[in-house]
Amino acid sequence: MAVNLKAIEQLATDQASLKAAAGLAKPAKWSGISESHDAALVWGECAGSGANPYRVMADLRDLGSKCTCPSRKFPCKHVLALFWLKAEALAPFPAADTPDWVSDWLGRRRTGGSAKVASVGAEKDLHAARIAEPDPVEDEKATARREAASARRAEETERAIIDALDALEQWIGDQLRMGLGGFIDDVAARCRRIGSRLVDGKAAALAGQIDEMPARLLSLPTGDRVRGAAVELGRLVLLARAFRAEPSNPEIRRIITVAENRETLLTDPDTLRVKAMWEVLAERVLTRRDGLVSQTTWLLNLGAGGPRFAMLLDYFPASAGRRGSVFAAGDQFVGELAFYPAQAPLRAVLVGREASDAKDRNWPEDAEPLSAMLTAPLLAEPWVEARPVLLPAGRIGFDRAGAPWWRGHDGAHLLPVSGELGPLAMGSELSRTAGLWSGARLELLAARTPWGRIGG
Amino acid sequence: MAEALLTALAPVLTRWTMGGSAAAAAPADWRGALGAEGGEAELRLLALAGQLLGALTVVEPSGDVQMLPDIPALAKPPLDPEQRPRARRLLLTLRETAQRRALLDLLDRRGWTVHPSDWMPGINENDLPEVYWPWQDWVARAAPQGMDVEEDISTETWDQFGPAARRVAFAALRRRDPTRAAAVLAAKIASETPDRRLLFLDMLAAGLSAADAPVFEALADDRAPRVKIRAAALLARLGQADSGGEDAAELAGFFAVKIKGWLRKSVEIAAQQLKTPTQRNRRTALMDMLTLGAMSQALKLTPEELVEGWPWGGDIQADHALAAMIERSAADAVVLCAAEAMTAQATINLHGLYPLLPRLPADWRRRLALKVLAASDGAFMQALAIAGGDGEIDGVIATSAGQALLSELADRSDAKRTDHAIELLTLGLLASQAAAVQALEKLAGAGLIASDPRLDMLRLNAALDSKGTRP
C-alpha cells in the first residue's frame, strides 16, 4: 500500500490545492504522524488557523481520506500534504495502534472504490507547486496609503463600538424601567433586538454572548431569575465601562469584538507561552443562535508553572457539519500553549505537542482556600461568565427537591450543580473535581473517583 | 457582611422586578458612589449589585442534602483500560437487547464486567446477567422514588416504592428469600395493573417452587385473561394442571390420535383438516390459552406421548403454538423432549423451536447453533438467536456459514461487496476465544485490515481469556 506523487497530483482539485499542500508538507507543521501496524492507514495532526490542530487521516488502500478542517475541497490541502509527506518520506511514520478517531471514521466510511481523480482538464503540476513565489515589492507611498487606511478603519471601528455600547446601556436602562419581571418573560426577543444592534456596531463577540443569555437565564429556577438577570445586565454595564476606559485592552476587546488571530498571537514576543503536561478535562460543542458552532476544550495544567487551566476555543459554521475533536477527554500530553493576554490568562492556542508516554499523572494540589478560589476570580474579572475551578474532596448529594449539590468534605461548602450527571458522579467519592463556577452554579467538567477518571 | 448587603439589596431587586428607579433604595453607603444623575445612578447600582449577587451569593438547598450510597463493586473486575474503548464502541452500536445481553454474557463468562462509566443497566431492564444485579439495585435506589426506603420490600412497604424500584426490590428479595417473596407477592399482586401482574409472574418463572403456588392460585380467576392463563400455566409447571374443561375437549376435537404397534406402542397424532380460517383461528386461540397438561389429558395421553407423537414439521403455525404451550406450562424434561423431537426432523423448524429456547440448557443450544452454522444455508443471526449469550463455539470460521462469509469478503467485485458488519459481530459473539483468534487470521487473509471496526467484537473476544486475565 503506497501513495506516489502522480496520485497526489491526480487527486488534487486544482493547482491552488497543490500549492497550499506544498506549504504544509513540512514536518514542523505536523504532530502525531503515524501509520497502522499493517501500513494501510496513516494519520496526523496539522496546525490550522484555530486553537486546535486539524486531524487528518487516510486509507492508503484506496486513498480515501478525511480531515476535520472546514474546507469544502476534497481532498483538502491537509490530506494532500499528509500524502506528500508519506510519498516522499519527508517525515517518519512510526507504526502505532489505530486511534479511536481513525477507527470511527473507518467504521463510517462507505467503501466502494478508490478516491476520485479530479477532472482531467484542470492543469495541475506538483513540481510547479513546490516553487515558492517571491513576496511582492511594495513602494513607500503604497505602504503609507495602506497604513493610513488601516488606521482610519480602526478609528471607525472604535467609534462604532462606542456607539453600540451607548445603545446597549440605553437598552439596559429601559429594561430596569420596564421591570425585570417583564424582561424575563420576553427575554429572547429583547436580546435578539439588542444583539442585532451590537453586530451592526462591530461588537460581534458581545452580541454572541447576549444571544445566549436567554438560555442561561431560563435554565435557572424561576425564583432565581431576577437575581440572574441583574447579574447578567450588571456584567454588561461593567464591560461597557471597561471598554470605554481602555479601548485598546486586548482582553476587553476580545470579549466585545473579535479575538486576535493565531498569527498575531504567535508573532507577539510578549505572548505568554507555557510548555507543560496538560490533561484534557472536557470538550463542549455548542451551536449558537448566530449559526456558528463553538468548540471549547478545557485543559488542566498538571505541572507547577503557568496558569492552572487553559481554554482552547474555535468557531466554525454549522454548515461545515460535524467536526471531530482533536482530543479525547482524559488524554494527558506534553504541549506548548500560547495564551491570549489577560489579567488571569485562560484562552490559548495549541502551538505544538509532543509524543509522550504520559502515564496517569495526578492532579495538582491546591494552595488556596476554596472560598478564595470561588470568589476572587469573579471579583477580579466581573464580566466573565464562569471560571474553571479545581475543588478538593467532596461528593454529590440531592436536596428534597431532587436538585444536585456538591458538598466538600470540610462541610463548609455546598455548591449547586447544573447539567447532567452520570451515575459515577452521583454514586462515588470525588477525590478532586474540576468544574466551571459561575458564582451561582457549578458545571462538572471532570472528576477523579475510586473508579478512575470520569466526566468530559 | 454579605448577608447584611443581601438584605439591603432586597428592596432594590423588588423595585427592578416591578419596574422603576431603585437608586433611592440602595444601601446608604453606596449612594455617594452612585452619583446624582438618575439614569447613570441606576446603571452604577446595577453594576455593583450584579457583581455582589453574582460573586457572593448562592441559593440554599431545599431541605437536607442526602448522599446516595456508593455504586458497589461487582463480583468480577471491570475491563482493563485497553479493552474499554472497544467495549464502549460495541455497547453504543448494539441496538438490540439480545445482542447486548450476549456481549455482557461473554464478558461475564470470561470473568469481566463493563466499567460503570461505559454502561449501567436501566431500571426497567429485565434481562441482565446476575453479576449486574447490585448495579440495578443501586439505580433503583437512585431513582426519585427509590431513595426513601432503606429496608427490604414487604407488604407494609410495597406502596412506598416507585413502580420500577418496586420491581428491582422484589427481585432482590426473591433472590435472598424466595419463600418470603412469594408470600409478599401473593398479598400484593392484586393491587398491580395487569401488565405488572404479568411482569411479576414472569419473575417467578425462574426458580419456580411449590412455595409460589399460592400466588398462582390467587390469580386463578383474574379478570385479565392473559394473567389467568399465565398463572394456570405456571401452576401446571408445578404439576397442578387443571383439566381445561370444555375448552380442552374442543381442542382435542381438532386432532386424531392413532396408537401403532403391538409390543412397543407409539402414538401418532394427526391434525384434522381445517376448512375455514375461523377454525384455524379458534384452534390457535385454544392452544394459546390451555396448558399442555390439559391438552394431553383431553387427548388421553401423557405430556411426553403428546410431544413425541406430534407431527412436527407438518404445520408451522401449529408447531409454534404447541411449542409456546410447552414453554409456558410443561416440566423441564418435557421441554427438552420436544426440542429433541423437533431437531430430529430432516429440516429443522427454527420458527417452531424459538419459543422453547429460553428453557433449554446452554450446552444443548450451543450444539444446535453449531448445527445451524454447519448447514449449507446456515446464518450467523439464527445461530446467535439459538445460542443466546452462551456462545463459546469452537471452529466457527470453518463452518459452512464461516466459509461463505470469507468467500464474500474476499470477493472484490462491487456487485457482491456488502457490509457484513452484522455477520462479523455475531461471529464475535458466538466464537470461543480460540475460534475468535482463528477467525481473525482468516479474515486478515480475506483482506480485512486489523483496524477495521467491524472486527471489534472478534478482537475483544480474542483478547479475553477466562478468569479476567489477559492471554
Side-chain angles (χ1 to χ4, degrees):
Chain A
M1 287 166 277
V3 60
N4 57 36
L5 298 180
K6 191 74 190 158
I8 296 169
E9 206 173 70
Q10 287 176 338
L11 282 172
T13 52
D14 51 32
Q15 184 67 14
S17 292
L18 282 176
K19 189 87 188 155
L24 292 174
K26 299 180 170 77
K29 300 263 184 189
W30 292 79
S31 58
I33 296 179
S34 298
E35 65 180 14
S36 58
H37 292 287
D38 51 18
L41 307 169
V42 291
W43 60 86
E45 292 166 11
C46 183
S49 56
N52 289 294
Y54 299 126
R55 276 184 164 167
V56 193
M57 60 215 92
D59 185 340
L60 295 182
R61 293 174 297 167
D62 60 3
L63 301 184
S65 63
K66 172 154 171 66
C67 177
T68 58
C69 79
S71 170
R72 292 186 190 280
K73 286 188 180 177
F74 188 80
C76 66
K77 59 187 179 184
H78 306 102
V79 167
L80 294 172
L82 183 66
F83 282 145
W84 205 323
L85 289 171
K86 180 68 177 164
E88 291 204 306
L90 297 174
F93 279 69
D97 291 339
T98 308
D100 285 351
W101 47 276
V102 178
S103 293
D104 287 346
W105 164 67
L106 205 58
R108 286 196 304 272
R109 281 193 75 195
R110 294 288 176 264
T111 53
S114 307
K116 290 191 173 46
V117 170
S119 59
V120 174
E123 283 186 24
K124 293 168 286 177
D125 185 337
L126 189 138
H127 296 289
R130 268 202 249 242
I131 300 167
E133 285 171 13
D135 291 333
V137 175
E138 202 181 40
D139 67 29
E140 281 181 20
K141 282 188 185 170
T143 305
R145 275 198 301 274
R146 190 169 44 77
E147 285 172 358
S150 179
R152 260 198 316 277
R153 276 196 302 274
E155 249 183 70
E156 282 164 9
T157 298
E158 194 166 305
R159 255 203 310 278
I161 294 173
I162 300 275
D163 288 345
L165 293 178
D166 288 343
L168 175 65
E169 287 195 351
Q170 176 70 45
W171 176 82
I172 293 171
D174 291 343
Q175 306 316 311
L176 295 178
R177 267 190 297 283
M178 291 191 290
L180 293 182
F183 169 67
I184 289 164
D185 289 341
D186 192 30
V187 65
R190 294 192 195 184
C191 286
R192 205 161 35 240
R193 281 197 282 276
I194 192 61
S196 301
R197 175 65 185 87
L198 290 169
V199 168
D200 292 344
K202 314 267 188 238
L206 187 58
Q209 212 187 99
I210 291 175
D211 269 347
E212 304 305 320
M213 193 196 306
R216 290 195 296 272
L217 280 179
L218 296 176
S219 72
L220 297 173
T222 313
D224 198 31
R225 287 176 188 172
V226 167
R227 185 199 68 89
V231 171
E232 294 269 352
L233 297 176
R235 188 183 293 147
L236 293 174
V237 172
L238 287 169
L239 256 177
R241 302 289 160 117
F243 184 86
R244 282 201 203 87
E246 216 182 326
S248 57
N249 180 314
E251 192 175 355
I252 305 294
R253 282 194 84 83
R254 203 176 304 135
I255 301 172
I256 304 261
T257 172
V258 290
E260 308 90 305
N261 65 31
R262 182 187 169 95
E263 198 186 330
T264 306
L265 190 69
L266 293 180
T267 51
D268 184 344
D270 293 330
T271 293
L272 172 66
R273 289 181 179 236
V274 177
K275 185 172 178 181
M277 174 83 88
W278 300 90
E279 176 170 324
V280 181
L281 290 172
E283 183 187 76
R284 294 287 183 265
V285 178
L286 177 68
T287 302
R288 292 154 42 118
R289 293 173 61 89
D290 60 6
L292 286 180
V293 176
S294 68
Q295 183 179 38
T296 310
T297 308
W298 296 97
L299 304 178
L300 175 68
N301 185 346
L302 299 174
R308 174 61 63 220
F309 294 96
M311 177 186 78
L312 308 181
L313 176 58
D314 275 320
Y315 294 98
F316 53 93
S319 55
R322 186 174 170 268
R323 211 170 143 200
S325 171
V326 176
F327 301 106
D331 278 354
Q332 291 186 350
F333 65 93
V334 174
E336 186 185 14
L337 267 56
F339 284 84
Y340 287 83
Q343 273 188 75
L346 180 63
R347 188 171 170 186
V349 299
L350 181 65
V351 179
R353 64 176 173 160
E354 298 170 4
S356 77
D357 295 324
K359 299 293 180 196
D360 188 23
R361 197 192 277 197
N362 279 333
W363 288 5
E365 293 301 322
D366 292 303
E368 279 188 274
L370 182 55
S371 306
M373 266 203 298
L374 293 174
T375 54
L378 298 176
L379 289 171
E381 293 177 304
W383 46 78
V384 158
E385 208 183 292
R387 288 287 303 203
V389 290
L390 192 57
L391 302 175
R395 195 155 181 140
I396 302 283
F398 295 84
D399 66 16
R400 211 176 32 235
W405 296 77
W406 176 89
R407 185 161 73 192
H409 280 341
D410 62 1
H413 292 90
L414 202 55
L415 306 178
V417 177
S418 68
E420 299 246 351
L421 294 171
L424 276 179
M426 298 189 286
S428 57
E429 286 293 311
L430 307 178
S431 57
R432 306 299 304 284
T433 301
L436 292 175
W437 174 241
S438 71
R441 289 278 178 282
L442 177 73
E443 182 192 336
L444 260 67
L445 293 175
R448 294 209 149 206
T449 77
W451 289 94
R453 187 198 177 282
I454 62 168
Chain B
M1 186 183 83
E3 286 279 349
L5 277 171
L6 287 172
T7 308
L9 283 176
V12 171
L13 278 180
T14 304
R15 299 230 179 154
W16 280 339
T17 304
M18 305 308 298
S21 168
D29 292 346
W30 290 17
R31 294 214 187 117
L34 300 185
E37 197 272 308
E40 177 64 16
E42 288 299 312
L43 292 177
R44 290 184 185 185
L45 177 58
L46 180 65
L48 288 170
Q51 191 181 11
L52 182 86
L53 291 169
L56 293 176
T57 62
V58 178
V59 294
E60 293 288 315
S62 161
D64 285 341
V65 174
Q66 302 283 344
M67 306 301 165
L68 290 173
D70 282 344
I71 290 176
L74 299 179
K76 295 177 187 176
L79 284 170
D80 68 34
E82 278 186 35
Q83 300 307 327
R84 276 183 59 196
R86 200 165 280 137
R88 200 162 43 234
R89 267 201 303 274
L90 285 165
L91 284 163
L92 282 174
T93 55
L94 293 179
R95 305 216 182 278
E96 290 196 23
T97 311
Q99 289 172 344
R100 192 174 64 232
R101 175 66 199 250
L103 169 60
L104 295 176
D105 281 336
L106 186 149
L107 295 180
D108 186 28
R109 262 198 316 280
R110 304 281 177 87
W112 299 95
T113 51
V114 179
H115 192 283
S117 263
D118 299 332
W119 175 85
M120 281 193 78
I123 197 168
N124 290 315
E125 284 193 61
N126 296 331
D127 192 19
L128 282 178
E130 186 177 322
V131 69
Y132 293 103
W133 289 348
W135 280 2
Q136 197 170 46
D137 289 349
W138 183 90
V139 171
R141 290 176 78 88
Q145 281 180 287
M147 277 188 64
D148 291 332
V149 185
E150 294 285 328
E151 56 203 51
D152 282 347
I153 194 165
S154 64
T155 51
E156 290 77 32
T157 62
W158 185 267
D159 295 318
Q160 293 174 33
F161 286 84
R166 190 181 303 157
R167 187 191 67 77
V168 172
F170 178 76
L173 181 63
R174 175 81 175 159
R175 292 191 293 273
R176 277 197 299 279
D177 189 341
T179 306
R180 188 152 66 97
V184 168
L185 193 61
K188 300 302 293 186
I189 195 167
S191 64
E192 296 286 333
T193 62
D195 280 340
R196 289 186 61 81
R197 291 202 292 278
L198 268 178
L199 182 73
F200 282 109
L201 284 178
D202 285 342
M203 291 172 75
L204 295 184
L208 204 57
S209 77
D212 301 324
V215 179
F216 310 139
E217 284 156 1
L219 296 173
D221 292 313
D222 195 276
R223 54 196 180 278
R226 55 206 164 109
V227 174
K228 192 170 156 180
I229 289 167
R230 188 77 175 122
L234 289 167
L235 261 180
R237 278 176 58 180
L238 289 173
Q240 296 183 36
D242 64 348
S243 66
E246 287 173 6
D247 289 332
E250 185 186 348
L251 180 58
F254 282 104
F255 300 96
V257 178
K258 281 186 197 164
I259 308 290
K260 286 187 152 181
W262 290 100
L263 289 172
R264 217 165 154 253
K265 291 187 181 173
S266 66
V267 169
E268 220 174 73
I269 298 169
Q272 307 284 22
Q273 189 77 10
L274 297 175
K275 298 193 180 87
T276 66
T278 307
Q279 283 185 321
R280 178 171 281 276
N281 292 341
R282 178 60 184 160
R283 190 185 75 179
T284 304
L286 287 168
M287 291 182 80
D288 286 346
M289 192 190 335
L290 294 167
T291 64
L292 184 71
M295 183 177 174
S296 54
Q297 202 176 341
L299 288 169
K300 297 183 177 38
L301 299 170
T302 65
E304 290 81 354
E305 284 173 337
L306 192 164
V307 164
E308 283 168 5
W310 183 264
W312 296 105
D315 181 333
I316 290 177
Q317 194 181 21
D319 284 356
H320 190 277
L322 185 67
M325 182 196 283
I326 292 168
E327 188 279 326
R328 210 166 55 235
S329 60
D332 290 347
V334 177
V335 172
L336 194 56
C337 179
E340 295 283 0
M342 289 170 82
T343 51
Q345 306 298 309
T347 307
I348 300 172
N349 175 9
L350 289 175
H351 184 63
L353 195 58
Y354 282 146
L356 295 179
L357 291 176
R359 291 195 55 197
L360 292 169
D363 58 343
W364 196 95
R365 285 186 281 107
R366 207 174 282 139
R367 279 197 306 277
L368 178 61
L370 191 56
K371 215 168 166 180
V372 163
L373 290 171
S376 59
D377 57 353
F380 285 105
M381 290 299 290
Q382 283 177 344
L384 184 65
I386 291 166
D390 295 305
E392 303 293 350
I393 299 174
D394 286 320
V396 271
I397 202 68
T399 62
S400 296
Q403 293 301 301
L405 177 63
L406 282 173
S407 169
E408 290 204 14
L409 285 166
D411 189 335
R412 296 276 184 258
S413 74
D414 286 345
K416 284 196 177 174
R417 194 177 189 133
T418 59
D419 200 35
H420 295 297
I422 294 288
E423 287 90 334
L424 290 165
L425 170 72
T426 49
L427 181 61
L429 288 168
L430 284 167
S432 64
Q433 189 194 17
V437 171
Q438 190 187 27
L440 284 168
E441 285 165 11
K442 295 288 185 191
L443 288 163
L448 263 67
I449 60 171
S451 314
D452 196 319
R454 290 176 293 170
L455 299 179
D456 272 348
M457 192 64 243
L458 276 164
R459 286 166 64 78
L460 182 64
N461 186 332
L464 299 175
D465 73 359
S466 300
K467 299 173 191 167
T469 55
R470 298 290 308 284

